[in-house]
């Protein structure tokens, strides 16, 4: 029982960590608290449905198409919605992402209908059994892919020139601008990355369940995840995602399936009250 | 220091003098408000029947719900627009009111006025508790704490509902004001109308009072307000208590009006629609809250009315208006909010002002 719950918590937590990482990249770059991150995950899942089931593309090509579409979506959102609002109040920016998620949801339901869709991919579907532990291959693939993506983006930010420029931009817009960095381009790139990571998360969530707009609520677990981990911290997002996955699975198995929300948000409230900067974040000094 | 006045906000000149034209306008407005419910229930003017289309497909139910939502929009705009505290969990205070109604009204069998007073008290208490994190965290973190509060309140409602009732939800029966039973939509209408006017009047007076001005100052510049002698921590909690008390009363009324409530009625999208309303109507503007709630509640039925008349319109129009009406309305509202946020932060009134100025300039050239 314990090992089983630990395993599914780890697998789901890895996916949440991936979505949360996308969220944290966007937040670090543009200071936008993106309530549409769940909707972006839903978009990724539906892009995959479109490419695989409707267009009938071969799987690798379909994945490439889905990644490209997700990246494009992120760039478009930044250009049309986020850039015009730069420097405006927090409520305006939060609300525009909420409104965006409402629009995305409605448009998807108009195009694809409100019923869910099954996503059929050639990913392995069997189950490994080790002792009492049942490990579905799909969960393993999801976790492995998530960790590869997280490692790849970690390396990208750490070791590449563009990654360095992005970090510089996120740290201080003005200084980066003075040094000749195209700040808008970097921010667009951040939105593309955020959207792609959400899309990959959505692909796996849709694969583990069924593709529908209900995935949005699962994708939105990225919000408590990043805050628990620390808003300004990239490793924090991953740790937060894992923690949220664990809390969800443990509370649903040991307390009751209905208690997952309150367990996650109760923990979030405790973090907010006692360590608002998150587990791995830097303590912000009071701004006047 | 008790007499340190906050003079940062200039006082508006006192109400303009009652000229004859204003008095006539006011009388006409009051007459229209009194006549409206009879028009909508009889669906005829002096015996001449009106079609659904002529009444814009509106019914008295939508008007009554609109009045109930106006209370929520007013209270949220007071909190967010005037005091500057963003709350994503405002819908949860409707749930607090509905829950109080379930305990005091359905289980203990006490009359509606007692229920409403209890809802206001419990709502204020819940508001103070939910506002406590504002003593410690700011901005985004506070927004998240309201989100957490929302989930906790909804969870309590859900546990309560399954403990004492069942999946079908909590029933609310026999609302009455003393001897008068609220059993017809028209009676509800007048009761709600009086309540909305009273809350509106009360809030606008509070905003003009010393504390109200201190609150606006806190919204504009917290440090400056503190320096002027306003205790922003207490002010925040007071604003939260008042706002959530009003929302809880509205929640109890909402539950009684629909005669049933479940924990699912008060999800996060329920809470978000209040934010949308105050953005549409204009942040910080009390009349704007009324306007935003009216648009939010009445536009869907206008669109339904439109859908009844499309007949042999092009396929795309039919797909949008008939087959996917709910989604179409959602997309429309979402886009409206986005457009307003980008082009007219003051809401629809601001947008129409800007457009008017634009047209005037075009014509001038």
């Amino acid at each position: 029982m314990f090992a089983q719950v630990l395993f599914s918590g780890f697998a789901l937590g890895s996916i949440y960590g991936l979505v949360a990482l996308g969220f944290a990249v966007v937040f670090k770059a543009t200071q936008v608290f993106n309530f549409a991150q769940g909707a972006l995950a839903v978009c990724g899942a539906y892009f995959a449905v479109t490419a695989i089931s409707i267009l009938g593309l071969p799987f690798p090509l379909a994945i490439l198409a889905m990644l490209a579409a997700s990246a494009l979506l992120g760039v478009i959102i930044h250009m049309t919605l986020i850039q015009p609002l730069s420097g405006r109040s927090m409520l305006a920016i939060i609300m525009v992402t909420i409104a965006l998620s409402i629009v995305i949801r409605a448009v998807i339901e108009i195009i694809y209908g409100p019923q869910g869709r099954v996503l059929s991919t050639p990913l392995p579907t069997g189950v490994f059994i080790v002792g009492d532990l049942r490990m579905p291959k799909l969960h393993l693939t999801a976790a492995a892919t998530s960790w590869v993506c997280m490692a790849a983006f970690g390396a990208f930010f750490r070791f590449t020139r563009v990654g360095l420029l992005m970090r510089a931009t996120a740290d201080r817009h003005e200084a980066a601008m003075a040094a000749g960095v195209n700040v808008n381009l970097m921010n667009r790139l951040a939105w593309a990355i955020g959207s792609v990571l959400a899309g990959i998360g959505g692909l796996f969530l849709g694969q583990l369940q069924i593709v529908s707009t209900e995935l949005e609520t699962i994708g939105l677990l990225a919000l408590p995840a990043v805050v628990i981990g620390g808003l300004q911290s990239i490793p924090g997002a991953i740790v937060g995602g894992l923690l949220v996955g664990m809390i969800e699975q443990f509370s649903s198995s040991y307390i009751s399936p209905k208690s997952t929300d309150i367990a996650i948000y109760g923990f979030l409230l405790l973090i907010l009250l006692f360590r608002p900067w998150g587990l791995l974040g830097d303590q912000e000094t009071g701004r006047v | 220091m008790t007499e340190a006045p906050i003079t940062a906000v200039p006082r508006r000149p006192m109400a303009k003098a009652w000229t004859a034209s204003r008095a006539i306008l006011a009388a006409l407005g009051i007459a229209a408000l009194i006549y409206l419910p009879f028009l909508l229930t009889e669906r005829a003017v002096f015996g001449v029947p009106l079609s659904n289309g002529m009444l814009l497909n509106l019914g008295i139910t939508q008007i009554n719900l609109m009045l109930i939502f106006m209370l929520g929009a007013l209270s949220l705009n007071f909190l967010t627009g005037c005091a500057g505290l963003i709350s994503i969990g405002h819908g949860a205070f409707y749930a607090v009111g509905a829950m109080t109604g379930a305990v005091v009204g359905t289980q203990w069998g006490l009359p509606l006025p007692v229920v409403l007073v209890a809802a206001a008290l419990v709502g204020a208490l819940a508001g103070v508790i939910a506002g406590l994190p504002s003593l410690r965290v700011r901005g985004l973190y506070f927004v998240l704490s309201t989100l957490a509060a929302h989930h906790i309140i909804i969870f309590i409602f859900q546990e309560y509902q399954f403990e004492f009732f069942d999946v079908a939800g909590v029933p609310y029966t026999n609302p009455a004001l003393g001897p008068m039973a609220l059993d017809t939509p028209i009676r509800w209408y007048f009761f709600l109308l009086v309540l909305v006017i009273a809350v509106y009047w009360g809030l606008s007076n509070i905003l003009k009072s010393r504390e109200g001005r201190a609150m606006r100052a806190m919204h504009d510049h917290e440090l400056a307000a503190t320096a002027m002698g306003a205790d922003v921590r207490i002010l925040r909690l007071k604003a939260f208590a008042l706002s959530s008390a009003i929302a809880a009363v509205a929640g109890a009324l909402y539950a009684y009006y629909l005669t049933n409530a479940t924990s699912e009625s008060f999800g996060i999208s329920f809470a978000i629609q209040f934010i949308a309303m105050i953005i549409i109507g204009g942040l910080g503007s009390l009349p704007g809250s009324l306007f935003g709630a009216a648009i939010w509640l009445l536009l869907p039925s206008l669109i339904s009315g439109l859908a009844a008349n499309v007949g042999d319109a092009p396929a795309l129009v039919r797909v949008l208006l008939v087959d996917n009406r709910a989604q179409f309305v959602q997309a429309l509202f979402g886009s409206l909010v986005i457009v307003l946020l980008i082009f007219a932060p003051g809401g629809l009134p601001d947008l129409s002002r800007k457009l008017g100025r634009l047209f005037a300039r075009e014509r001038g050239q």
Side-chain angles (χ1 to χ4, degrees):
Chain A
M1 176 77 173
F2 181 80
Q4 185 66 49
V5 175
L6 196 66
F7 170 76
S8 42
F10 176 77
L12 283 174
S14 306
I15 303 179
Y16 299 158
L18 191 67
V19 180
L21 174 63
F23 183 98
V25 170
V26 164
F27 185 80
K28 248 178 117 74
T30 54
Q31 305 293 313
V32 172
F33 198 80
N34 183 12
F35 273 90
Q37 189 76 356
L40 290 180
V42 175
C43 281
Y46 272 98
F47 286 143
V49 166
T50 313
I52 295 171
S53 310
I54 298 177
L55 299 178
L57 297 178
F59 185 64
L61 211 59
I63 293 301
L64 278 183
M66 173 229 137
L67 295 179
S70 294
L72 189 65
L73 179 68
V75 172
I76 291 175
I77 292 173
H78 179 256
M79 284 171 66
T80 56
L81 303 182
I82 304 304
Q83 228 173 315
L85 282 178
S86 66
R88 289 271 293 281
S89 75
M90 189 176 60
L91 179 67
I93 292 172
I94 287 182
M95 200 49 210
V96 93
T97 63
I98 292 179
L100 173 69
S101 72
I102 294 175
V103 172
I104 288 179
R105 191 187 180 112
V107 168
I108 284 180
E109 285 182 0
I110 289 175
I111 296 177
Y112 297 91
Q115 306 86 10
R117 297 228 175 184
V118 180
L119 183 60
S120 47
T121 60
L123 295 175
T125 49
V127 175
F128 282 122
I129 296 181
V130 181
D132 284 344
L133 187 59
R134 291 168 47 84
M135 295 193 287
K137 284 184 190 163
L138 211 51
H139 281 74
L140 285 176
T141 322
T145 314
S146 300
W147 284 97
V148 169
C149 287
M150 290 190 265
F153 276 105
F156 167 75
F157 287 123
R158 189 99 181 76
F159 300 116
T160 67
R161 195 183 133 70
V162 179
L164 179 69
L165 294 184
M166 284 186 72
R167 278 190 291 146
T169 312
D171 267 0
R172 204 157 291 245
H173 273 77
E174 292 86 350
M177 231 186 282
V181 180
N182 185 342
V183 169
N184 267 330
L185 188 69
M186 291 303 137
N187 287 345
R188 254 165 234 169
L189 194 57
W191 269 87
I193 292 174
S195 171
V196 162
L197 291 176
I200 300 174
L203 172 72
F204 281 112
L205 289 174
Q207 180 87 116
L208 294 176
Q209 302 188 357
I210 195 167
V211 179
S212 78
T213 44
E214 294 305 313
L215 287 181
E216 189 188 350
T217 32
I218 310 178
L220 273 184
L221 287 176
L223 260 67
V226 273
V227 180
I228 289 172
L231 264 176
Q232 298 285 353
S233 152
I234 296 284
I238 298 169
V239 172
L242 274 179
L243 264 177
V244 166
M246 298 283 182
I247 296 173
E248 182 194 69
Q249 291 302 311
F250 275 98
S251 64
S252 113
S253 320
Y254 286 94
I255 307 172
S256 92
K258 282 187 296 177
S259 66
T260 54
D261 269 354
I262 188 145
I264 292 169
Y265 282 95
F267 187 61
L268 172 69
L269 199 57
L270 288 181
I271 291 277
L272 284 174
L273 285 180
F274 296 106
R275 213 181 146 82
W277 53 93
L279 292 176
L280 298 184
D282 295 324
Q283 182 166 5
E284 275 177 56
T285 38
R287 271 172 296 164
V288 174
Chain B
M1 281 303 287
T2 49
E3 271 309 299
I6 285 157
T7 50
V9 183
R11 287 187 88 158
R12 268 191 263 162
M14 282 292 119
K16 286 170 224 149
W18 277 89
T19 57
S21 60
R22 268 174 66 87
I24 294 172
L25 270 183
L28 279 179
I30 293 170
L33 282 177
I34 293 177
Y35 185 56
L36 182 71
F38 299 104
L39 174 69
L40 288 180
T41 40
E42 286 163 20
R43 311 198 83 73
V45 180
F46 302 119
V48 183
L50 293 175
S51 72
N52 251 350
M54 288 160 95
L55 291 172
L56 301 171
N57 203 38
L58 294 179
I60 185 86
T61 311
Q62 276 114 13
I63 301 288
N64 283 344
L65 282 175
M66 174 189 89
L67 291 171
I68 296 176
F69 278 82
M70 277 176 170
L71 293 174
L74 278 173
S75 64
L76 183 63
N77 214 345
F78 178 75
L79 185 71
T80 302
C82 305
L85 288 162
I86 302 172
S87 163
I88 299 195
H90 207 62
F93 296 110
Y94 265 62
V96 169
M99 201 162 24
T100 316
V103 175
V104 180
T106 308
Q107 289 191 312
W108 297 349
L110 294 174
L112 185 66
V114 183
V115 170
L116 295 184
V117 171
L121 292 176
V122 177
L125 183 70
V128 169
I129 295 173
L132 279 181
S134 76
L135 301 181
R136 194 165 154 80
V137 293
R138 288 279 177 294
L140 195 53
Y141 297 105
F142 179 70
V143 177
L144 283 164
S145 79
T146 64
L147 187 63
H150 166 90
H151 281 281
I152 290 167
I153 291 174
I154 298 302
F155 177 78
I156 296 173
F157 191 110
Q158 184 181 313
E159 290 293 300
Y160 167 76
Q161 179 195 333
F162 283 96
E163 180 71 30
F164 295 100
F165 302 93
D166 52 11
V167 193
V170 186
Y172 297 85
T173 47
N174 304 327
L177 295 173
M180 187 182 82
L182 286 172
D183 48 3
T184 62
I186 291 189
R187 287 180 176 179
W188 267 105
Y189 172 83
F190 284 109
F191 171 51
L192 290 171
L193 186 68
V194 169
L195 201 62
V196 168
I197 292 174
V199 166
Y200 181 90
W201 183 72
L203 285 181
S204 63
N205 271 340
I206 287 177
L207 284 176
K208 282 182 210 142
S209 74
R210 185 179 179 279
E211 291 213 305
R213 283 174 290 139
M215 224 175 64
R216 290 230 186 221
M218 170 178 87
H219 172 234
D220 292 339
H221 200 301
E222 195 182 310
L223 199 66
T226 316
M228 300 297 265
D231 189 341
V232 293
R233 294 166 307 166
I234 301 295
L235 270 179
R236 274 200 207 104
L237 289 185
K238 277 185 183 167
F240 231 102
L242 180 61
S243 161
S244 44
I246 297 171
V249 168
L253 290 169
Y254 181 65
Y256 268 99
Y257 190 72
L258 297 181
T259 67
N260 180 289
T262 71
S263 57
E264 275 101 51
S265 332
F266 306 102
I268 197 77
S269 48
F270 182 83
I272 285 170
Q273 57 184 346
F274 290 105
I275 313 182
M277 281 175 215
I278 65 174
I279 285 177
I280 291 174
L283 280 177
S285 142
L286 290 184
S289 329
L290 302 182
F291 180 63
I295 298 261
W296 188 267
L297 269 289
L298 301 186
L299 198 59
S301 23
L302 295 189
I303 290 174
S304 309
L306 222 58
N309 293 328
V310 288
D312 48 346
L316 179 67
V317 176
R318 203 156 344 115
V319 165
L320 288 181
L321 283 184
V322 182
D323 303 340
N324 294 294
R325 194 183 313 141
Q327 283 83 3
F328 178 66
V329 169
Q330 290 284 307
L332 198 66
F333 274 131
S335 320
L336 178 65
V337 169
I338 292 175
V339 167
L340 286 179
L341 283 171
I342 294 178
F343 296 106
L348 270 183
D350 187 23
L351 187 71
S352 64
R353 246 193 321 274
K354 278 188 176 155
L355 284 180
R357 227 176 291 145
L358 198 69
F359 285 129
R361 209 183 310 146
E362 296 271 306
R363 242 179 291 143
Q365 275 171 357

